[in-house]
Amino acid sequence: MRSARLLRFLNLSIAALLVAFLVVAWWYGWRPLPETSGTIKAPVSAEARIVRDALGVPHIEAATIEDAIFLQGFATAEDRMWQMDALRRLAGGELAEVIGKRALEADEEARRLRMQRMAELHERSLPPEDRKIMAAYARGVNYYLETHHDRLPLEFALLNYDPRPWTIKDSLLAALQMHRNLTTSWKEDWAKRGLLLAAKTPEDKAKVDLLYPPRAGWEPQPGSNAWAIGGARTASGKPILANDPHLEFSAPSTWHMVHLKAPGLNVIGVALPGIPAVVIGHNEKIAWGVTNLHFDVQDLYEERFEQSTGRYQFQGRIEQASVERETIGVKGDKPVTVPVFVTRHGPVIVTEGPKVFTLRWAAGEAGTFQFPFLDLNSASNWEEFRAALRRFPGPGQNFVYADTSGNIGYQATGLLPIRQGFNGSVPLDGASGTQEWKGFIPFDSLPSTYNPAAGRIVTANQNPFPPDYGYEVGGNFAAPYRAKQIGALLDAKPKGWTPEGMLSIQKDVYSGFLLFLAQQAISAAARTDSKNSSVLAAVDVLKKWHGQMEKDL
């Protein structure tokens, strides 16, 4: 009898725990998921729709473009509100406020970079139409927050805080964080400086240049890729464009798929959570893809700086750095204040004993930020496409283009500094005034091509600037191996290409550089005449290898 009661008690306890688990899972896991049926009242000018397909992609149809962007903000917040909030906090140096001291170092770096200050600077100079679109997006995000404050994603409950309303500044912070991810080069300049200081002989310095080449574009590294082929080379007679942008792994993805439809707009592709419009995609007339340009838009300057007063020298005179006091909230602890000195070149980013180094970054130049993506989304030909990109501030990108009329094209973009007599790959002399930027390379002077004779365009982060280019070129360009391999695969089949054939190229894992390295290792082993069995076995494997990076080869 006693054992029966005990068994009944255990069964009831298990059932109660199971019910409690299901309730918690529904409350925190299922309930916050995007709604896929029904209607809600929203502040839009006319009836609008968000229809999600089998993959959950929102297809938005509205009476005006502004309403469509409002609904994009709403739908993106439904899918990615925690990601968006974490992104603006990462960029703005506010993670420690909700995570605690372990995020303090990241916050301090963001504050030294002046990310929030830059976002505020750019917001003040936004063109009215750009401001209008960003404001519509922010209203959409905030309408989600207002109507879902009791069913936000689980992360907010776990960290016990509510997200503040979304603003135009937050969208700018999200854009600046992508700029930061794709253009941060000053740390490599700093590392190269350290190695050069330690070099004792010319041979040592030559080794440093081998490790950090003068941005010639031959250093081995992975890269994104995009290419287009003209209609004469496809089975359909229409151009085909393929794009595989490589960014760091993340869950959820960096990208958010979306379809926007309104009078004058019908575009589908991927957007960045927190930023309105489509970044990569196609409309009814054109398609485009991107890879990172890797042109160097950051320079370190070694200043003759008096740390106690903030005074520094420039061209023989004394100037006064401004000081910004950044206060960082820390969960469970006292706030931390970080003083940031700012010179004509930018903020003090590194202090090494008595030496002070500041950072100039194209992203921080006043009055340079515009938002051309809506113009890009509605462009219908090459001229309108380039007109939209003319307003693109960065990060510098390679844009590949195709249209339904049969044309293909390529355009380098972004604000790229003009350097005369120096390349900025090591810290510069901040006091002399002889190593200053001379503005930015004019858009019409950036590399561009339209309907090339070869009938194809390929970019894989390689250096697109010709040897006789009229401006100093500096950048961490990828080696040309991947671009050459894509070109070789395309040229191996002069005609008849299909989208499925493009996928086979995207999945190709041949590495010309590693094959070259393997051949060098074979030659080195032959010169040593090694009898070591392990070496001989390795050489035998390498001799049979053909450069395909498959795990079974």
Side-chain angles (χ1 to χ4, degrees):
M1 181 68 72
R2 183 177 298 174
S3 60
R5 286 199 299 269
L6 179 60
L7 182 60
R8 184 182 178 191
F9 173 77
L10 288 173
N11 288 336
L12 288 173
S13 298
I14 292 171
L17 287 173
L18 179 60
V19 169
F21 172 79
L22 291 174
V23 168
V24 170
W26 176 82
W27 187 267
Y28 289 109
W30 182 264
R31 203 169 62 100
L33 292 177
E35 298 169 82
T36 57
S37 63
T39 61
I40 60 172
K41 293 186 66 175
V44 292
S45 64
E47 182 177 323
R49 293 160 55 87
I50 302 176
V51 178
R52 291 184 179 269
D53 62 23
L55 297 176
V57 175
H59 297 259
I60 296 167
E61 186 169 358
T64 69
I65 290 176
E66 194 171 345
D67 285 353
I69 297 299
F70 170 91
L71 293 175
Q72 183 189 8
F74 181 88
T76 308
E78 277 192 306
D79 293 342
R80 304 288 187 89
M81 192 62 237
W82 161 248
Q83 181 187 24
M84 292 165 63
D85 190 66
L87 182 61
R88 65 175 167 181
R89 287 183 175 277
L90 172 64
E94 295 181 326
L95 281 174
E97 187 176 286
V98 297
I99 294 177
K101 290 183 69 173
R102 59 185 178 275
L104 188 55
E105 184 177 349
D107 283 356
E108 288 177 348
E109 181 174 325
R111 298 300 181 98
R112 284 193 297 271
L113 286 170
R114 305 182 72 241
M115 299 284 281
Q116 285 208 43
R117 307 269 182 173
M118 288 193 294
E120 292 165 358
L121 177 75
H122 293 320
E123 183 180 1
R124 290 194 293 270
S125 64
L126 268 180
E129 285 302 310
D130 294 351
R131 179 182 298 276
K132 179 181 176 182
I133 292 304
M134 287 194 169
Y137 186 89
R139 289 197 303 273
V141 176
N142 290 332
Y143 189 68
Y144 164 81
L145 292 175
E146 292 164 12
T147 55
H148 291 71
H149 62 87
D150 61 340
R151 46 192 164 131
L152 293 172
L154 175 62
E155 292 89 346
F156 293 110
L158 292 175
L159 293 172
N160 192 30
Y161 81 97
D162 293 326
R164 66 175 184 269
W166 195 264
T167 66
I168 293 174
K169 174 185 169 183
D170 293 325
S171 288
L172 292 172
L173 278 171
L176 285 169
Q177 181 60 32
M178 179 56 72
H179 211 307
R180 179 185 180 186
N181 286 343
L182 296 180
T183 67
T184 295
S185 60
W186 72 264
K187 294 181 180 180
E188 293 185 5
D189 298 346
W190 183 254
K192 183 176 182 179
R193 168 188 176 271
L195 290 174
L196 286 172
L197 288 175
K200 304 297 185 184
T201 66
E203 289 77 14
D204 291 341
K205 291 183 179 180
K207 291 176 182 177
V208 175
D209 285 334
L210 182 65
L211 289 171
Y212 294 89
R215 309 305 190 232
W218 289 93
E219 56 271 30
Q221 58 179 298
S224 304
N225 49 73
W227 63 89
I229 55 174
R233 302 188 58 179
T234 69
S236 67
K238 295 290 186 180
I240 298 177
L241 184 148
N243 188 200
D244 186 8
H246 295 180
L247 294 172
E248 58 191 11
F249 291 108
S250 65
S253 165
T254 298
W255 301 108
H256 182 253
M257 294 185 69
V258 68
H259 177 196
L260 303 173
K261 189 174 183 180
L265 180 69
N266 188 6
V267 61
I268 188 169
V270 294
L272 289 167
I275 301 174
V278 168
V279 176
I280 302 172
H282 70 87
N283 58 30
E284 294 171 336
K285 295 291 186 179
I286 73 168
W288 66 95
V290 301
T291 68
N292 196 22
L293 181 60
H294 284 298
F295 195 98
D296 186 3
V297 296
Q298 290 187 330
D299 279 338
L300 285 175
Y301 284 86
E302 183 175 348
E303 309 286 3
R304 297 180 190 174
F305 194 92
E306 195 175 84
Q307 296 185 39
S308 60
T309 63
R311 293 184 297 182
Y312 64 100
Q313 294 184 35
F314 182 75
Q315 291 185 333
R317 63 178 183 271
I318 300 296
E319 296 191 354
Q320 178 64 52
S322 62
V323 61
E324 299 168 348
R325 300 194 179 278
E326 299 285 339
T327 300
I328 303 172
V330 182
K331 185 177 182 179
D333 214 324
K334 294 179 180 179
V336 173
T337 300
V338 179
V340 180
F341 279 112
V342 183
T343 71
R344 63 168 45 243
H345 295 125
V348 172
I349 200 74
V350 179
T351 301
E352 184 184 62
K355 296 184 178 181
V356 167
F357 298 82
T358 57
L359 177 67
R360 188 169 188 184
W361 183 16
E365 300 292 304
T368 59
F369 194 93
Q370 298 186 60
F371 187 77
F373 285 111
L374 197 58
D375 294 340
L376 184 66
N377 292 178
S378 58
S380 61
N381 54 47
W382 175 246
E383 289 74 23
E384 292 176 3
F385 173 77
R386 290 190 76 233
L389 294 183
R390 190 177 292 274
R391 298 203 305 125
F392 183 71
Q397 297 289 292
N398 301 291
F399 276 78
V400 177
Y401 165 97
D403 65 34
T404 56
S405 297
N407 305 299
I408 60 174
Y410 163 84
Q411 179 66 56
T413 62
L415 296 175
L416 312 182
I418 297 174
R419 301 177 176 92
Q420 294 181 354
F422 63 98
N423 61 30
S425 64
V426 292
L428 306 170
D429 180 5
S432 68
T434 61
Q435 295 179 314
E436 304 296 310
W437 295 357
K438 308 296 184 183
F440 298 100
I441 299 174
F443 178 81
D444 289 326
S445 296
L446 296 176
S448 181
T449 187
Y450 186 59
N451 288 332
R456 66 167 172 82
I457 292 167
V458 176
T459 171
N461 303 123
Q462 79 275 18
N463 186 350
F465 298 90
D468 59 350
Y469 191 60
Y471 297 91
E472 186 82 33
V473 174
N476 193 17
F477 306 109
Y481 297 105
R482 177 62 178 157
K484 288 182 176 180
Q485 171 69 354
I486 294 169
L489 291 173
L490 290 173
D491 291 344
K493 183 178 178 181
K495 294 183 178 182
W497 280 102
T498 63
E500 292 74 19
M502 299 297 103
L503 183 61
S504 70
I505 295 178
Q506 286 187 326
K507 294 171 64 177
D508 176 62
V509 290
Y510 173 81
S511 174
F513 172 75
L514 291 180
L515 180 60
F516 165 77
L517 192 62
Q519 292 168 342
Q520 294 298 304
I522 293 169
S523 298
R527 288 195 300 271
T528 60
D529 195 26
S530 175
K531 304 299 183 185
N532 184 289
S533 60
S534 296
V535 171
L536 294 175
V539 167
D540 185 56
V541 170
L542 292 177
K543 284 181 177 179
K544 297 174 182 177
W545 187 55
H546 300 296
Q548 291 289 340
M549 298 291 289
E550 296 284 359
K551 65 182 179 66
D552 296 326
L553 295 179

mmCIF file of all heavy atoms in Angstrom, residues 460-494:
data_model
loop_
_atom_site.group_PDB
_atom_site.id
_atom_site.type_symbol
_atom_site.label_atom_id
_atom_site.label_comp_id
_atom_site.label_asym_id
_atom_site.label_seq_id
_atom_site.Cartn_x
_atom_site.Cartn_y
_atom_site.Cartn_z
ATOM 1 N N ALA A 460 36.407 38.839 -55.411
ATOM 2 C CA ALA A 460 36.553 37.994 -54.224
ATOM 3 C C ALA A 460 37.496 38.687 -53.240
ATOM 4 O O ALA A 460 38.443 38.087 -52.736
ATOM 5 C CB ALA A 460 37.064 36.613 -54.601
ATOM 6 N N ASN A 461 37.232 39.976 -52.991
ATOM 7 C CA ASN A 461 38.023 40.809 -52.082
ATOM 8 C C ASN A 461 39.432 41.093 -52.593
ATOM 9 O O ASN A 461 40.268 41.622 -51.847
ATOM 10 C CB ASN A 461 38.123 40.196 -50.681
ATOM 11 C CG ASN A 461 36.772 39.931 -50.046
ATOM 12 O OD1 ASN A 461 36.488 38.800 -49.673
ATOM 13 N ND2 ASN A 461 35.953 40.952 -49.923
ATOM 14 N N GLN A 462 39.716 40.746 -53.857
ATOM 15 C CA GLN A 462 41.040 41.033 -54.390
ATOM 16 C C GLN A 462 41.187 42.529 -54.676
ATOM 17 O O GLN A 462 40.207 43.267 -54.711
ATOM 18 C CB GLN A 462 41.308 40.200 -55.657
ATOM 19 C CG GLN A 462 40.674 40.727 -56.940
ATOM 20 C CD GLN A 462 39.249 40.278 -57.149
ATOM 21 O OE1 GLN A 462 38.586 39.837 -56.228
ATOM 22 N NE2 GLN A 462 38.762 40.401 -58.380
ATOM 23 N N ASN A 463 42.407 42.960 -54.923
ATOM 24 C CA ASN A 463 42.702 44.364 -55.205
ATOM 25 C C ASN A 463 42.143 44.744 -56.587
ATOM 26 O O ASN A 463 42.607 44.238 -57.606
ATOM 27 C CB ASN A 463 44.222 44.568 -55.174
ATOM 28 C CG ASN A 463 44.622 46.028 -55.308
ATOM 29 O OD1 ASN A 463 43.801 46.885 -55.612
ATOM 30 N ND2 ASN A 463 45.889 46.314 -55.076
ATOM 31 N N PRO A 464 41.141 45.646 -56.654
ATOM 32 C CA PRO A 464 40.573 46.007 -57.953
ATOM 33 C C PRO A 464 41.238 47.222 -58.598
ATOM 34 O O PRO A 464 40.834 47.646 -59.684
ATOM 35 C CB PRO A 464 39.121 46.342 -57.587
ATOM 36 C CG PRO A 464 39.244 46.972 -56.246
ATOM 37 C CD PRO A 464 40.381 46.256 -55.544
ATOM 38 N N PHE A 465 42.256 47.783 -57.925
ATOM 39 C CA PHE A 465 42.877 49.009 -58.417
ATOM 40 C C PHE A 465 44.029 48.678 -59.367
ATOM 41 O O PHE A 465 44.909 47.890 -59.027
ATOM 42 C CB PHE A 465 43.390 49.850 -57.244
ATOM 43 C CG PHE A 465 42.293 50.293 -56.315
ATOM 44 C CD1 PHE A 465 41.920 49.514 -55.225
ATOM 45 C CD2 PHE A 465 41.612 51.482 -56.536
ATOM 46 C CE1 PHE A 465 40.902 49.908 -54.369
ATOM 47 C CE2 PHE A 465 40.591 51.888 -55.693
ATOM 48 C CZ PHE A 465 40.235 51.103 -54.614
ATOM 49 N N PRO A 466 44.075 49.266 -60.550
ATOM 50 C CA PRO A 466 45.142 48.964 -61.518
ATOM 51 C C PRO A 466 46.492 49.483 -61.024
ATOM 52 O O PRO A 466 46.557 50.403 -60.195
ATOM 53 C CB PRO A 466 44.690 49.705 -62.779
ATOM 54 C CG PRO A 466 43.801 50.799 -62.288
ATOM 55 C CD PRO A 466 43.114 50.260 -61.075
ATOM 56 N N PRO A 467 47.591 48.922 -61.519
ATOM 57 C CA PRO A 467 48.926 49.360 -61.067
ATOM 58 C C PRO A 467 49.183 50.845 -61.301
ATOM 59 O O PRO A 467 49.929 51.468 -60.541
ATOM 60 C CB PRO A 467 49.874 48.492 -61.913
ATOM 61 C CG PRO A 467 49.066 47.293 -62.288
ATOM 62 C CD PRO A 467 47.667 47.781 -62.449
ATOM 63 N N ASP A 468 48.590 51.410 -62.349
ATOM 64 C CA ASP A 468 48.821 52.821 -62.660
ATOM 65 C C ASP A 468 47.708 53.725 -62.128
ATOM 66 O O ASP A 468 47.490 54.821 -62.630
ATOM 67 C CB ASP A 468 48.949 53.016 -64.175
ATOM 68 C CG ASP A 468 47.693 52.553 -64.923
ATOM 69 O OD1 ASP A 468 46.824 51.903 -64.283
ATOM 70 O OD2 ASP A 468 47.579 52.840 -66.129
ATOM 71 N N TYR A 469 47.005 53.257 -61.077
ATOM 72 C CA TYR A 469 45.906 54.040 -60.511
ATOM 73 C C TYR A 469 46.420 55.392 -60.025
ATOM 74 O O TYR A 469 47.542 55.500 -59.526
ATOM 75 C CB TYR A 469 45.271 53.266 -59.361
ATOM 76 C CG TYR A 469 43.968 53.837 -58.859
ATOM 77 C CD1 TYR A 469 42.870 53.961 -59.705
ATOM 78 C CD2 TYR A 469 43.839 54.241 -57.534
ATOM 79 C CE1 TYR A 469 41.669 54.478 -59.238
ATOM 80 C CE2 TYR A 469 42.640 54.750 -57.053
ATOM 81 C CZ TYR A 469 41.563 54.878 -57.916
ATOM 82 O OH TYR A 469 40.369 55.389 -57.455
ATOM 83 N N GLY A 470 45.616 56.411 -60.166
ATOM 84 C CA GLY A 470 46.064 57.778 -59.901
ATOM 85 C C GLY A 470 46.160 58.173 -58.440
ATOM 86 O O GLY A 470 46.590 59.289 -58.136
ATOM 87 N N TYR A 471 45.790 57.278 -57.544
ATOM 88 C CA TYR A 471 45.841 57.585 -56.114
ATOM 89 C C TYR A 471 46.588 56.484 -55.372
ATOM 90 O O TYR A 471 46.656 55.336 -55.836
ATOM 91 C CB TYR A 471 44.427 57.726 -55.540
ATOM 92 C CG TYR A 471 43.631 58.862 -56.131
ATOM 93 C CD1 TYR A 471 42.815 58.662 -57.248
ATOM 94 C CD2 TYR A 471 43.695 60.143 -55.581
ATOM 95 C CE1 TYR A 471 42.081 59.702 -57.790
ATOM 96 C CE2 TYR A 471 42.966 61.191 -56.126
ATOM 97 C CZ TYR A 471 42.167 60.965 -57.232
ATOM 98 O OH TYR A 471 41.444 62.004 -57.771
ATOM 99 N N GLU A 472 47.146 56.842 -54.210
ATOM 100 C CA GLU A 472 47.829 55.858 -53.348
ATOM 101 C C GLU A 472 46.824 54.804 -52.908
ATOM 102 O O GLU A 472 45.741 55.127 -52.420
ATOM 103 C CB GLU A 472 48.417 56.557 -52.129
ATOM 104 C CG GLU A 472 49.257 55.670 -51.238
ATOM 105 C CD GLU A 472 50.680 55.504 -51.745
ATOM 106 O OE1 GLU A 472 51.217 56.452 -52.347
ATOM 107 O OE2 GLU A 472 51.254 54.420 -51.534
ATOM 108 N N VAL A 473 47.180 53.538 -53.087
ATOM 109 C CA VAL A 473 46.291 52.443 -52.730
ATOM 110 C C VAL A 473 46.833 51.731 -51.497
ATOM 111 O O VAL A 473 47.995 51.318 -51.477
ATOM 112 C CB VAL A 473 46.136 51.443 -53.887
ATOM 113 C CG1 VAL A 473 45.313 50.231 -53.449
ATOM 114 C CG2 VAL A 473 45.481 52.115 -55.081
ATOM 115 N N GLY A 474 46.022 51.595 -50.483
ATOM 116 C CA GLY A 474 46.384 50.835 -49.300
ATOM 117 C C GLY A 474 45.175 50.058 -48.831
ATOM 118 O O GLY A 474 44.049 50.564 -48.851
ATOM 119 N N GLY A 475 45.403 48.816 -48.437
ATOM 120 C CA GLY A 475 44.281 48.021 -47.968
ATOM 121 C C GLY A 475 44.667 46.580 -47.753
ATOM 122 O O GLY A 475 45.650 46.097 -48.311
ATOM 123 N N ASN A 476 43.880 45.906 -46.953
ATOM 124 C CA ASN A 476 44.158 44.512 -46.639
ATOM 125 C C ASN A 476 43.426 43.612 -47.624
ATOM 126 O O ASN A 476 42.550 42.840 -47.266
ATOM 127 C CB ASN A 476 43.713 44.225 -45.199
ATOM 128 C CG ASN A 476 44.252 42.914 -44.690
ATOM 129 O OD1 ASN A 476 45.189 42.357 -45.246
ATOM 130 N ND2 ASN A 476 43.658 42.401 -43.632
ATOM 131 N N PHE A 477 43.788 43.729 -48.896
ATOM 132 C CA PHE A 477 43.104 42.990 -49.946
ATOM 133 C C PHE A 477 43.407 41.499 -49.859
ATOM 134 O O PHE A 477 44.481 41.089 -49.433
ATOM 135 C CB PHE A 477 43.518 43.515 -51.321
ATOM 136 C CG PHE A 477 43.325 44.990 -51.485
ATOM 137 C CD1 PHE A 477 44.420 45.852 -51.544
ATOM 138 C CD2 PHE A 477 42.054 45.526 -51.558
ATOM 139 C CE1 PHE A 477 44.252 47.207 -51.684
ATOM 140 C CE2 PHE A 477 41.866 46.886 -51.699
ATOM 141 C CZ PHE A 477 42.966 47.739 -51.763
ATOM 142 N N ALA A 478 42.428 40.700 -50.298
ATOM 143 C CA ALA A 478 42.631 39.253 -50.313
ATOM 144 C C ALA A 478 43.523 38.858 -51.480
ATOM 145 O O ALA A 478 43.638 39.568 -52.482
ATOM 146 C CB ALA A 478 41.290 38.532 -50.419
ATOM 147 N N ALA A 479 44.144 37.699 -51.338
ATOM 148 C CA ALA A 479 44.947 37.145 -52.435
ATOM 149 C C ALA A 479 44.051 36.889 -53.640
ATOM 150 O O ALA A 479 42.857 36.662 -53.506
ATOM 151 C CB ALA A 479 45.605 35.849 -51.975
ATOM 152 N N PRO A 480 44.610 36.901 -54.847
ATOM 153 C CA PRO A 480 43.785 36.748 -56.052
ATOM 154 C C PRO A 480 43.413 35.309 -56.379
ATOM 155 O O PRO A 480 42.738 35.069 -57.370
ATOM 156 C CB PRO A 480 44.694 37.327 -57.143
ATOM 157 C CG PRO A 480 46.076 37.042 -56.666
ATOM 158 C CD PRO A 480 46.020 37.185 -55.167
ATOM 159 N N TYR A 481 43.844 34.353 -55.560
ATOM 160 C CA TYR A 481 43.648 32.951 -55.914
ATOM 161 C C TYR A 481 42.174 32.600 -56.121
ATOM 162 O O TYR A 481 41.805 31.936 -57.089
ATOM 163 C CB TYR A 481 44.237 32.043 -54.829
ATOM 164 C CG TYR A 481 45.724 32.184 -54.659
ATOM 165 C CD1 TYR A 481 46.254 32.865 -53.570
ATOM 166 C CD2 TYR A 481 46.608 31.637 -55.588
ATOM 167 C CE1 TYR A 481 47.621 33.012 -53.407
ATOM 168 C CE2 TYR A 481 47.976 31.769 -55.436
ATOM 169 C CZ TYR A 481 48.481 32.464 -54.336
ATOM 170 O OH TYR A 481 49.832 32.607 -54.191
ATOM 171 N N ARG A 482 41.328 33.018 -55.186
ATOM 172 C CA ARG A 482 39.914 32.669 -55.288
ATOM 173 C C ARG A 482 39.290 33.334 -56.515
ATOM 174 O O ARG A 482 38.525 32.696 -57.248
ATOM 175 C CB ARG A 482 39.182 33.094 -54.017
ATOM 176 C CG ARG A 482 37.677 32.846 -54.030
ATOM 177 C CD ARG A 482 37.323 31.384 -54.154
ATOM 178 N NE ARG A 482 35.876 31.169 -54.125
ATOM 179 C CZ ARG A 482 35.268 30.112 -54.629
ATOM 180 N NH1 ARG A 482 35.972 29.155 -55.200
ATOM 181 N NH2 ARG A 482 33.963 29.988 -54.564
ATOM 182 N N ALA A 483 39.601 34.603 -56.755
ATOM 183 C CA ALA A 483 39.054 35.286 -57.936
ATOM 184 C C ALA A 483 39.499 34.585 -59.213
ATOM 185 O O ALA A 483 38.711 34.415 -60.160
ATOM 186 C CB ALA A 483 39.491 36.751 -57.933
ATOM 187 N N LYS A 484 40.762 34.182 -59.261
ATOM 188 C CA LYS A 484 41.264 33.494 -60.449
ATOM 189 C C LYS A 484 40.575 32.142 -60.649
ATOM 190 O O LYS A 484 40.274 31.750 -61.780
ATOM 191 C CB LYS A 484 42.776 33.306 -60.343
ATOM 192 C CG LYS A 484 43.576 34.598 -60.512
ATOM 193 C CD LYS A 484 45.073 34.324 -60.449
ATOM 194 C CE LYS A 484 45.873 35.602 -60.711
ATOM 195 N NZ LYS A 484 47.335 35.368 -60.668
ATOM 196 N N GLN A 485 40.322 31.458 -59.535
ATOM 197 C CA GLN A 485 39.645 30.158 -59.640
ATOM 198 C C GLN A 485 38.214 30.325 -60.158
ATOM 199 O O GLN A 485 37.762 29.560 -61.017
ATOM 200 C CB GLN A 485 39.642 29.459 -58.271
ATOM 201 C CG GLN A 485 38.799 28.199 -58.190
ATOM 202 C CD GLN A 485 39.339 27.035 -59.000
ATOM 203 O OE1 GLN A 485 40.315 27.170 -59.738
ATOM 204 N NE2 GLN A 485 38.706 25.881 -58.882
ATOM 205 N N ILE A 486 37.504 31.334 -59.660
ATOM 206 C CA ILE A 486 36.142 31.581 -60.144
ATOM 207 C C ILE A 486 36.176 31.893 -61.641
ATOM 208 O O ILE A 486 35.381 31.364 -62.428
ATOM 209 C CB ILE A 486 35.489 32.729 -59.361
ATOM 210 C CG1 ILE A 486 35.284 32.328 -57.897
ATOM 211 C CG2 ILE A 486 34.149 33.129 -59.990
ATOM 212 C CD1 ILE A 486 34.891 33.474 -56.998
ATOM 213 N N GLY A 487 37.113 32.776 -62.039
ATOM 214 C CA GLY A 487 37.242 33.119 -63.453
ATOM 215 C C GLY A 487 37.554 31.911 -64.307
ATOM 216 O O GLY A 487 37.002 31.738 -65.405
ATOM 217 N N ALA A 488 38.443 31.041 -63.812
ATOM 218 C CA ALA A 488 38.818 29.846 -64.571
ATOM 219 C C ALA A 488 37.629 28.905 -64.734
ATOM 220 O O ALA A 488 37.424 28.328 -65.811
ATOM 221 C CB ALA A 488 39.976 29.133 -63.883
ATOM 222 N N LEU A 489 36.840 28.730 -63.669
ATOM 223 C CA LEU A 489 35.670 27.864 -63.759
ATOM 224 C C LEU A 489 34.637 28.424 -64.732
ATOM 225 O O LEU A 489 34.029 27.676 -65.513
ATOM 226 C CB LEU A 489 35.048 27.690 -62.368
ATOM 227 C CG LEU A 489 35.875 26.877 -61.361
ATOM 228 C CD1 LEU A 489 35.234 26.930 -59.986
ATOM 229 C CD2 LEU A 489 36.019 25.430 -61.818
ATOM 230 N N LEU A 490 34.439 29.739 -64.696
ATOM 231 C CA LEU A 490 33.489 30.359 -65.624
ATOM 232 C C LEU A 490 33.967 30.231 -67.072
ATOM 233 O O LEU A 490 33.178 29.944 -67.980
ATOM 234 C CB LEU A 490 33.286 31.831 -65.262
ATOM 235 C CG LEU A 490 32.519 32.125 -63.968
ATOM 236 C CD1 LEU A 490 32.558 33.613 -63.653
ATOM 237 C CD2 LEU A 490 31.071 31.648 -64.065
ATOM 238 N N ASP A 491 35.267 30.432 -67.282
ATOM 239 C CA ASP A 491 35.806 30.392 -68.653
ATOM 240 C C ASP A 491 35.891 28.978 -69.214
ATOM 241 O O ASP A 491 35.992 28.787 -70.431
ATOM 242 C CB ASP A 491 37.182 31.054 -68.691
ATOM 243 C CG ASP A 491 37.094 32.556 -68.457
ATOM 244 O OD1 ASP A 491 35.978 33.110 -68.572
ATOM 245 O OD2 ASP A 491 38.132 33.172 -68.145
ATOM 246 N N ALA A 492 35.855 27.989 -68.311
ATOM 247 C CA ALA A 492 35.900 26.602 -68.779
ATOM 248 C C ALA A 492 34.614 26.212 -69.509
ATOM 249 O O ALA A 492 34.577 25.200 -70.217
ATOM 250 C CB ALA A 492 36.138 25.659 -67.600
ATOM 251 N N LYS A 493 33.575 27.012 -69.336
ATOM 252 C CA LYS A 493 32.298 26.753 -69.994
ATOM 253 C C LYS A 493 31.842 28.058 -70.648
ATOM 254 O O LYS A 493 31.226 28.897 -69.999
ATOM 255 C CB LYS A 493 31.270 26.264 -68.975
ATOM 256 C CG LYS A 493 29.925 25.884 -69.558
ATOM 257 C CD LYS A 493 29.023 25.372 -68.441
ATOM 258 C CE LYS A 493 27.643 25.030 -68.991
ATOM 259 N NZ LYS A 493 26.736 24.541 -67.912
ATOM 260 N N PRO A 494 32.146 28.281 -71.902
ATOM 261 C CA PRO A 494 31.865 29.570 -72.546
ATOM 262 C C PRO A 494 30.389 29.939 -72.559
ATOM 263 O O PRO A 494 30.039 31.115 -72.505
ATOM 264 C CB PRO A 494 32.393 29.380 -73.969
ATOM 265 C CG PRO A 494 33.369 28.258 -73.874
ATOM 266 C CD PRO A 494 32.847 27.357 -72.816
#
